[in-house]
Amino acid sequence: MPNNDDFRIKRIQKMLLEMAKGNFFYSLEPSDKNDNIASLVVMLNMVNEEIAAAFIHQGFANAHNTPQCIIQLSLILDAKGQIELVTNGTCSLLSCMPKDIIGKHITELMTENSQRTWSKKMIKHLKRDRSETVLFLEFITNDGLLLAKDCQISVYQALDGSGQKIVLNSVFFSKGEPFETGLPKNKLKVTKGIKEHKVTLTPEDIQMIREVHDTILNNLHKDLPLLKDLALQMGTNEYKLKYGFKQIYGTTIFRFLTQERLRKSKTLIQHSNLSLKEIAHMNGFKSAAHFSRAFRDKYGKTPTALRG
């Protein structure tokens, strides 16, 4: 694969365009170089991962190596391409209700380019009793956003004798681990702004800090240990832990903890029948007054006002 600077910049441009369209599931493979472009690729992958991880509380998913595979595009079609069955995850991705798309032709949900791709490619596959292929398709959500992804297409004969069926599947929230494979052998200098770097973060350091991040998400109801004790548990020192976390996630560890507690609390207030006292307790707030004050500072209204 070409690895010159122009090619690498074009890949970054493509990723930024995908992000601008609302597609935060596009990532770049790290190169074996150790320069500013390589650092930019790492940071862009982190931004994408953080945006995807922000949806974890919406799905009430446990965060082991964020983000998890929690939303899948999945449809069953008849041989003509009419939609017969959709999953809840599909409706969530497309921002619609099942009744809005069942009975429609699959191409009604696609861009013009994907409509042509579907019409051209499916002709030969529908001539066989069983067939599998992968197509890159672009779907338009009810909100006007673009979902672009490789989709697994399977053609089979229904057991009830109703003829051919088509199954379309694609995972949109996929587990991303950009630091475990294809890593640069040299240490990567992560900097912020125009200041000189203070700490060199190795891939192992970055993975360790990501583990701290996931531990916080999975234990929002618990108090964090002292940072020096946490650093000791993770096999590093307090300064590198604090500095590295701030470089990667743009905030301090304790601010991140408070931010995620409030984010999950907001979701529970809006989408559960739990009392405000229960929500405060299960997210680590010591008192209702402390919870209400922190919530108002973050969202501009009290928990009571939001639920009301």
Side-chain angles (χ1 to χ4, degrees), residues 40-279:
L40 181 58
V41 167
V42 170
M43 298 308 293
L44 280 175
N45 281 337
M46 288 179 178
V47 169
N48 256 7
E49 185 174 326
E50 282 306 293
I51 293 175
F55 291 94
I56 286 175
H57 299 315
Q58 294 289 350
F60 303 102
N62 199 26
H64 296 296
N65 296 318
T66 58
Q68 300 275 322
C69 298
I70 55 177
I71 295 185
Q72 184 180 40
L73 183 73
S74 186
L75 306 98
I76 296 180
L77 322 170
D78 64 16
K80 295 180 180 180
Q82 303 293 128
I83 300 172
E84 295 186 343
L85 182 66
V86 297
T87 63
N88 289 335
T90 301
C91 293
S92 177
L93 280 169
L94 298 177
S95 302
C96 61
M97 299 294 290
K99 64 180 181 181
D100 298 327
I101 58 177
I102 290 178
K104 283 188 175 182
H105 196 276
I106 185 65
T107 55
E108 294 183 51
L109 308 178
M110 299 178 184
T111 62
E112 291 184 4
N113 285 338
S114 290
Q115 289 175 8
R116 289 192 290 268
T117 299
W118 179 271
S119 300
K120 180 180 178 181
K121 298 291 186 180
M122 291 305 297
I123 292 176
K124 65 177 182 179
H125 291 287
L126 288 169
K127 292 179 179 178
R128 309 169 187 167
D129 287 341
R130 298 183 63 86
S131 177
E132 290 193 1
T133 187
V134 175
L135 297 179
F136 180 79
L137 299 173
E138 296 176 325
F139 295 90
I140 303 173
T141 74
N142 201 39
D143 299 324
L145 296 178
L146 197 65
L147 296 178
K149 196 73 173 176
D150 287 326
C151 298
Q152 177 76 31
I153 313 295
S154 300
V155 177
Y156 68 98
Q157 290 288 339
L159 295 177
D160 61 3
S162 58
Q164 283 182 313
K165 302 293 181 182
I166 304 170
V167 177
L168 184 153
N169 284 300
S170 187
V171 174
F172 273 78
F173 275 47
S174 58
K175 178 179 174 183
E177 299 296 335
F179 301 108
E180 289 191 356
T181 58
L183 293 171
K185 295 181 180 178
N186 298 324
K187 295 179 179 179
L188 184 65
K189 296 179 179 179
V190 181
T191 61
K192 186 176 182 180
I194 60 174
K195 295 181 180 180
E196 291 295 324
H197 69 278
K198 297 180 181 179
V199 175
T200 297
L201 297 177
T202 66
E204 291 76 18
D205 292 330
I206 295 173
Q207 182 60 36
M208 175 271 296
I209 292 169
R210 283 159 50 83
E211 289 176 8
V212 171
H213 168 274
D214 289 346
T215 298
I216 292 173
L217 283 178
N218 289 332
N219 296 277
L220 295 177
H221 60 292
K222 296 181 181 179
D223 289 333
L224 279 179
L226 295 175
L227 289 186
K228 64 178 182 180
D229 294 333
L230 180 60
L232 185 63
Q233 293 173 19
M234 302 305 296
T236 188
N237 59 70
E238 181 180 356
Y239 182 77
K240 178 175 282 190
L241 176 62
K242 291 166 61 176
Y243 178 82
F245 196 96
K246 182 70 177 292
Q247 284 291 96
I248 293 174
Y249 296 108
T251 188
T252 67
I253 292 176
F254 286 104
R255 284 179 182 173
F256 176 77
L257 172 63
T258 301
Q259 168 189 307
E260 294 306 311
R261 282 174 168 174
L262 291 170
R263 195 203 305 268
K264 184 176 181 182
S265 296
K266 182 181 179 183
T267 299
L268 291 172
I269 290 170
Q270 293 176 316
H271 303 293
S272 80
N273 294 321
L274 295 171
S275 70
L276 297 181
K277 185 177 180 180
E278 288 176 306
I279 293 174

